[in-house]
Amino acid sequence: MQRREYLAGVVAASSLAIAGCGGSDSSGPTGVVEEFASALNDGDGERARSLYHQDSPGTPPQNIRQFESVEYSVENAETVDTDSGYSADEYDTVDEFQVVEAEISISGEVAGQEVDQSTTSRIIVAQNSDGEWKIWQGQQ
């Protein structure tokens, strides 16, 4: 039972990390989510961390090695008309917030067990003053 709970926790944490996940350019709200997943798949921690907004309350992954045996892909991502809970007026470095709903597939080996599942996550992204979209915070 503890192993099952651990696996569920890893999968949930992974989706939030994508939160967190593709391979297109990061020119829009959905693109940055897809680019983040691509960075995780490539094991490129520097690139993954660079996709987080400088003032983000979320924490970018520090140890990319934990994601090496798992493959991530964004099956579908779209902006949704939902309040992010943040106001761009409160931040000098944010022009706009958007919420991206992404269906994320996770497959691979976690704690010696094969995992193959999809989860839907909502990721808050922020457009900085340079017009770049960055990860702000993941939520489920």
Side-chain angles (χ1 to χ4, degrees), residues 54-133:
Q54 67 189 36
D55 294 328
S56 168
T59 305
Q62 298 303 309
N63 181 7
I64 290 296
R65 300 195 83 157
Q66 67 185 341
F67 301 107
E68 285 181 350
S69 63
V70 181
E71 183 176 321
Y72 302 92
S73 64
V74 176
E75 302 300 321
N76 184 34
E78 61 186 357
T79 56
V80 292
D81 189 21
T82 301
D83 183 18
S84 69
Y86 294 96
S87 171
D89 295 337
E90 297 176 17
Y91 300 91
D92 292 336
T93 59
V94 176
D95 286 346
E96 179 183 358
F97 286 104
Q98 289 284 321
V99 177
V100 174
E101 189 170 271
E103 182 183 342
I104 301 164
S105 292
I106 304 166
S107 62
E109 188 174 313
V110 177
Q113 288 191 323
E114 287 295 316
V115 174
D116 188 13
Q117 71 179 59
S118 292
T119 185
T120 300
S121 294
R122 287 192 173 176
I123 299 110
I124 300 169
V125 296
Q127 187 177 42
N128 65 22
S129 56
D130 293 334
E132 298 173 309
W133 287 95

Side-chain angles (χ1 to χ4, degrees), residues 33-44:
V33 172
E34 293 169 347
E35 182 68 18
F36 187 78
S38 177
L40 290 180
N41 272 333
D42 295 346
D44 190 343

Side-chain angles (χ1 to χ4, degrees), residues 1-12:
M1 185 60 134
Q2 288 179 350
R3 186 178 196 136
R4 193 174 310 156
E5 290 170 355
Y6 171 76
L7 288 172
V10 167
V11 169

